[in-house]
Amino acid sequence: MSDTGPVNPVIPGFHPDPSICRVGDDYYLVCSSFEYFPGVPVFHSRDLVHWTQIGNALDRPSQLRLAADVPSSAGIYAPTLRYHDGRFWLVVTNVSKGGGNLIVTATDPAGPWSEPVRLPGVPGIDPDLAWDEDGTCWCTVAGIAQVRIDPHTGRTYGPPQQLWSGTPGAKAPEAPHLYRIGDYWYLLIAVGGTERGHGVAIARGRTPSGPFEPCPANPILTHRSTDHPVQNTGHADLVQAPDGSWWMVLLGVRPGGGTPGWHVLGRETFLAPVTWVDGWPVVGEVALDLPELPWPLVPGPVEEQRDDFDLSELRPLWISVRDRPAEHCTTKERPGWLTLRARGGSLDEPDVVFTGRRQQHLSCRARTLVDPSEGCGGLALRLDERHHYAIEVSGGEVRVVARVGSLRTVVAAQPVPDGPVVLGLMIGDPPPPHDARTGPDAVSFGVEQPDGTLSVLATLDGRYLSTEVAGGFTGRVIGMYAAAGTVHFDWFDYEPSATEPAPPNGPARTGRADCGG
């Protein structure tokens, strides 16, 4: 929140592909999680602005298995969350060997969620669920194709049938959502790909399977070819508030720097108002400062800046790369500490032992107290195996390591006394001069001195940890890792800079999945 009112994004940081549903006065929202475990973060709100993570839908190995050979930006794609017949339904795609589309259900969206029901007869990605008046369940996927299913068993009835896919020749028709609103069934889709050409289009028909009439104003939302600070707008979902007003959640990015512009936080969740004109939705501005809402705001608890790892289970915001077995990650071995036991040799390896949280602010800092007496590890800013920066400590030396594409180098090193050490990173504006080639931010790494100041070892250009450089669908994650032996972390501290608005989402409730899942 800013001093003047609610702000966008409503869920900042790497939270793409939002899907939303309302039950009474409560809203629930889920996002994609890709190669991270646990998968599919689940959020709750009472006002559409303040969101609190209450869990993760796929928080057990029996629900989510991502092998070491699953590439970054594969894994869990584009969930849809719906409430039907007294139960929450979540359908999602696991883009990995043995994955495919699956459904999990819960009576409480905080969990536990059920074991998956597989959908072998449903091809593609971005699945959606909708029920018609007689209880028939329709599953619609990117392409845009639709098949009738039994969501309890995963059985399909007949082959998928092609529906309306936007303007002929449109790139990447995907993210379908089907709704019954008034006299029509509306089919909302994403078009143009998830880059700068992203947009939202809609059509309507008299039955769930069409035929569909496209909206004459399509795309009903896009920021392509504009100078709007929010770009790549698309992959939307609609929700009606108790007062009858309509709203859209969608993904977007905030590029920074010169040309071509680099976004580093990933695709974030934004909110926009919707009105209806002649039976078609009209999307209002995706403003960074949201207009006054027609109901009182209901802020959640203030997010805790520091995690002292005093709980037996990690908070839901903590994510790891592909898996999190208890023998490699636990808060129970040394009470009040997070213990990481190395597996891969470095952050370059797909099976690295890493536990982090999404970077949610353009300017922020993070610190952690590390005991490296039994190993080697530290604090990292990760985009994927080929794009990350880190400060690590072992053997009486601290080093800043940079990996960009095929290049890996130790940028700086200095001796440190034996014993625990506080490592820190700061992310902020790039140094001058600024021109068309200036990157989006600068990342500084250092060792904290007894007086609390950060003794900087190196400052690196942030553009190399951006989607425009690295590719893929994720965003930055800040966290702790072990590269050799066993490394203990007493606490982790994350806070936005003084110029950033406070995070809209409150603290995460304690999750059910401890380090061992």
Side-chain angles (χ1 to χ4, degrees), residues 101-115:
N101 290 304
L102 58 93
I103 291 174
V104 291
T105 65
T107 55
D108 180 352
W113 288 79
S114 70
E115 291 300 304

Side-chain angles (χ1 to χ4, degrees), residues 308-329:
D308 283 309
F309 304 120
D310 290 333
L311 303 175
S312 62
E313 302 173 339
L314 285 178
R315 294 157 61 192
L317 64 81
W318 292 108
I319 52 177
S320 298
V321 181
R322 297 179 179 84
D323 65 359
R324 196 159 68 193
E327 60 268 28
H328 292 285
C329 174

Side-chain angles (χ1 to χ4, degrees), residues 208-297:
S209 299
F212 288 97
E213 165 200 4
C215 176
N218 278 333
I220 61 172
L221 173 65
T222 184
H223 285 178
R224 64 182 68 139
S225 301
T226 71
D227 62 358
H228 198 286
V230 181
Q231 291 291 322
N232 302 32
T233 50
H235 203 117
D237 201 1
L238 293 170
V239 67
Q240 187 178 25
D243 70 345
S245 62
W246 284 84
W247 300 83
M248 175 180 283
V249 292
L250 64 141
L251 67 78
V253 306
R254 292 180 284 168
T259 298
W262 297 269
H263 75 276
V264 299
L265 301 189
R267 299 169 299 159
E268 308 175 277
T269 291
F270 291 80
L271 178 70
V274 173
T275 56
W276 290 82
V277 178
D278 297 329
W280 295 108
V282 178
V283 185
E285 184 184 359
V286 185
L288 291 177
D289 291 315
L290 285 163
E292 183 177 348
L293 274 67
W295 49 73
L297 298 181

Side-chain angles (χ1 to χ4, degrees), residues 15 33 90 115 173 195 247 304 351 462 505:
H15 294 104
S33 50
L90 189 148
E115 291 300 304
E195 302 81 28
W247 300 83
E304 298 172 15
D351 61 347
N505 53 315

Side-chain angles (χ1 to χ4, degrees), residues 106-469:
T107 55
D108 180 352
W113 288 79
S114 70
E115 291 300 304
V117 173
R118 307 288 174 178
L119 304 175
V122 178
I125 61 171
D126 298 4
D128 174 76
L129 293 179
W131 286 262
D132 65 19
E133 291 84 348
D134 66 7
T136 299
C137 184
W138 301 92
C139 185
T140 311
V141 294
I144 301 290
Q146 184 187 80
V147 63
R148 185 164 68 94
I149 68 168
D150 180 342
H152 299 278
T153 65
R155 179 184 176 187
T156 54
Y157 300 91
Q161 301 296 316
Q162 199 70 26
L163 303 183
W164 175 79
S165 297
T167 303
K171 177 182 178 181
E174 57 191 6
H177 290 308
L178 188 64
Y179 318 88
R180 176 65 186 264
I181 302 171
D183 294 332
Y184 290 97
W185 286 87
Y186 288 85
L187 178 60
L188 186 77
I189 69 171
V191 292
T194 198
E195 302 81 28
R196 295 292 192 268
H198 212 194
V200 179
I202 197 166
R204 68 187 184 189
R206 295 292 185 178
T207 74
S209 299
F212 288 97
E213 165 200 4
C215 176
N218 278 333
I220 61 172
L221 173 65
T222 184
H223 285 178
R224 64 182 68 139
S225 301
T226 71
D227 62 358
H228 198 286
V230 181
Q231 291 291 322
N232 302 32
T233 50
H235 203 117
D237 201 1
L238 293 170
V239 67
Q240 187 178 25
D243 70 345
S245 62
W246 284 84
W247 300 83
M248 175 180 283
V249 292
L250 64 141
L251 67 78
V253 306
R254 292 180 284 168
T259 298
W262 297 269
H263 75 276
V264 299
L265 301 189
R267 299 169 299 159
E268 308 175 277
T269 291
F270 291 80
L271 178 70
V274 173
T275 56
W276 290 82
V277 178
D278 297 329
W280 295 108
V282 178
V283 185
E285 184 184 359
V286 185
L288 291 177
D289 291 315
L290 285 163
E292 183 177 348
L293 274 67
W295 49 73
L297 298 181
V298 187
V302 176
E303 182 175 1
E304 298 172 15
Q305 175 180 317
R306 175 174 291 195
D307 194 329
D308 283 309
F309 304 120
D310 290 333
L311 303 175
S312 62
E313 302 173 339
L314 285 178
R315 294 157 61 192
L317 64 81
W318 292 108
I319 52 177
S320 298
V321 181
R322 297 179 179 84
D323 65 359
R324 196 159 68 193
E327 60 268 28
H328 292 285
C329 174
T330 182
T331 56
K332 299 174 182 177
E333 182 170 317
R334 182 189 288 191
W337 294 69
L338 173 66
T339 296
L340 300 182
R341 185 163 288 107
R343 184 172 50 187
S346 74
L347 288 160
D348 303 346
E349 303 300 326
D351 61 347
V352 63
V353 175
F354 170 91
T355 296
R357 55 158 295 160
R358 295 159 173 89
Q359 181 186 336
Q360 291 188 275
H361 301 85
L362 298 173
S363 299
C364 61
R365 74 167 186 168
R367 303 176 301 144
T368 185
L369 177 60
V370 186
D371 177 0
S373 58
E374 302 173 54
C376 172
L379 180 65
L381 184 64
R382 181 187 190 273
L383 197 62
D384 60 26
E385 285 81 17
R386 293 168 54 84
H387 301 86
H388 50 259
Y389 299 153
I391 181 168
E392 66 182 25
V393 58
S394 67
E397 182 182 70
V398 64
R399 298 170 294 278
V400 176
V401 181
R403 171 71 190 265
V404 179
S406 59
L407 304 176
R408 184 180 192 274
T409 186
V410 176
V411 179
Q414 74 174 37
V416 291
D418 292 338
V421 59
V422 176
L423 304 179
L425 67 82
M426 295 188 302
I427 301 172
D429 292 336
H434 297 161
D435 60 27
R437 301 163 296 171
T438 302
D441 58 6
V443 186
S444 298
F445 291 89
V447 177
E448 187 168 288
Q449 302 303 308
D451 64 359
T453 61
L454 187 71
S455 177
V456 174
L457 274 71
T459 298
L460 305 173
D461 190 330
R463 82 183 72 193
Y464 302 110
L465 304 190
S466 71
T467 298
E468 283 76 12
V469 170

